[in-house]
Amino acid sequence: MSLLKQIDTARLPSHIAIIMDGNGRWARQRGMDRIFGHQQGVKALREIIEASAELKIKFLTVYAFSTENWGRPDEEVSALMGIMVQSLNKETDTLIKNNIRLTAIGDTERLASDVKERLLETINVTSDATGLNLVVAMSYSSRWEITEAAKRIGAEISRGSVDPGSVNEFNFEKYLTTHGVPAPELMIRTSGEMRISNFLLWQLAYTELYFTEILWPDFGKVELYKAIIEFQKRERRFGKTSEQLLDK
């Protein structure tokens, strides 16, 4: 039986988040520079977006560029910005054609002007799409996001528009950049690294984590299917016991 046929379409995760890791190592293994790995990583992303849309996954969040990535060599950062612009130029029509909506989270004010302009254009022209919601984390870190949320709440408390005693985990969430997006049910990280790397720390509280040795440029539909099949084998208790789940 093919992997695709092993997937229970009635129990698909509605939101998958991915840390796309390993582009540089993939390139070095082939005697190429890191930029070549990032270019191949774009091809892998295209395949995963396509597969997610085919499965009718509702949300796909990908970690494209972290705030820590600004500390990489200038030539690599510049090349990454260029790849982002090229990708947006090339893929916007495909997103529209496939009814995919693009949104972005992160400190996008730090992005180069041409990247920010092209990103906003694509977000605007896909805003009416009703299929897959593709969320790209660019210049993003979870500590930055939580800090910014705390600042906004603090400002509202100072103005007297929010009672400090009313702040709880539910209304705090509306100050996050992911407000309106459900928490991921499955988070995938490629390349064998087993850490979250400052990605969606608040949102991943009860997310199922899946780590694979596969480097991102080699992560295709088959690998996505494997991750989903593993997800469907797990019992999600959210702090309850297995017996409580059976009593439902």
Side-chain angles (χ1 to χ4, degrees):
M1 182 186 297
S2 70
L3 287 174
L4 181 58
K5 290 183 178 179
Q6 292 178 44
I7 293 174
D8 181 353
T9 56
R11 297 176 53 242
L12 286 167
S14 62
H15 184 180
I16 297 175
I18 304 179
I19 299 177
M20 306 179 292
D21 194 20
N23 291 340
R25 274 168 283 172
W26 185 92
R28 287 197 304 271
Q29 288 175 4
R30 290 157 178 78
M32 308 294 286
D33 62 31
R34 293 175 59 85
I35 305 308
F36 179 69
H38 294 310
Q39 291 168 337
Q40 297 305 304
V42 172
K43 294 181 180 179
L45 176 57
R46 185 182 303 125
E47 183 170 340
I48 296 308
I49 292 171
E50 180 182 310
S52 298
E54 289 172 351
L55 287 169
K56 293 183 169 48
I57 301 294
K58 294 178 181 178
F59 293 89
L60 174 66
T61 298
V62 294
Y63 206 2
F65 191 86
S66 72
T67 54
E68 290 82 2
N69 289 155
W70 288 113
R72 291 189 175 186
D74 290 344
E75 60 271 20
E76 182 172 352
V77 172
S78 178
L80 283 167
M81 294 297 115
I83 290 171
M84 289 177 191
V85 172
Q86 292 170 11
S87 299
L88 289 167
N89 287 337
K90 186 175 181 180
E91 303 298 336
T92 297
D93 287 344
T94 301
L95 294 177
I96 295 170
K97 179 181 177 182
N98 290 285
N99 195 29
I100 297 172
R101 180 187 180 193
L102 178 71
T103 56
I105 58 174
D107 187 7
T108 55
E109 290 302 312
R110 293 186 66 182
L111 296 173
S113 58
D114 57 336
V115 179
K116 185 166 60 175
E117 180 180 347
R118 195 66 189 88
L119 177 64
L120 290 175
E121 287 176 3
T122 303
I123 288 172
N124 287 335
V125 298
T126 63
S127 60
D128 292 330
T130 57
L132 173 68
N133 288 271
L134 175 61
V135 183
V136 179
M138 296 178 69
S139 188
Y140 172 88
S141 81
S142 195
R143 287 182 175 180
W144 165 85
E145 176 186 36
I146 293 170
T147 300
E148 290 300 306
K151 287 179 181 178
R152 291 176 59 197
I153 291 175
E156 293 197 7
I157 290 173
S158 295
R159 290 194 296 268
S161 55
V162 170
D163 175 7
S166 70
V167 177
N168 56 41
E169 64 180 279
F170 302 106
N171 54 34
F172 182 87
E173 197 166 8
K174 74 178 184 180
Y175 294 91
L176 298 172
T177 60
T178 52
H179 176 60
V181 177
E185 293 169 87
L186 170 64
M187 194 285 289
I188 299 168
R189 180 167 188 157
T190 59
S191 87
E193 301 292 352
M194 295 188 182
R195 54 180 177 268
I196 305 304
S197 295
N198 211 351
F199 181 52
L200 301 177
L201 300 179
W202 178 280
Q203 297 85 349
L204 294 180
Y206 278 101
T207 300
E208 297 298 321
L209 307 181
Y210 178 88
F211 299 101
T212 175
E213 297 285 338
I214 301 294
L215 300 177
W216 177 247
D218 290 329
F219 192 90
K221 290 184 178 181
V222 169
E223 296 303 324
L224 178 65
Y225 298 158
K226 289 179 182 177
I228 292 173
I229 290 168
E230 171 61 27
F231 166 82
Q232 293 184 337
K233 292 177 181 177
R234 299 183 187 179
E235 181 182 68
R236 307 191 71 214
R237 297 192 298 273
F238 299 97
K240 296 182 179 180
T241 67
S242 298
E243 290 73 21
Q244 285 176 300
L245 297 178
L246 290 173
D247 288 341
K248 282 188 175 182

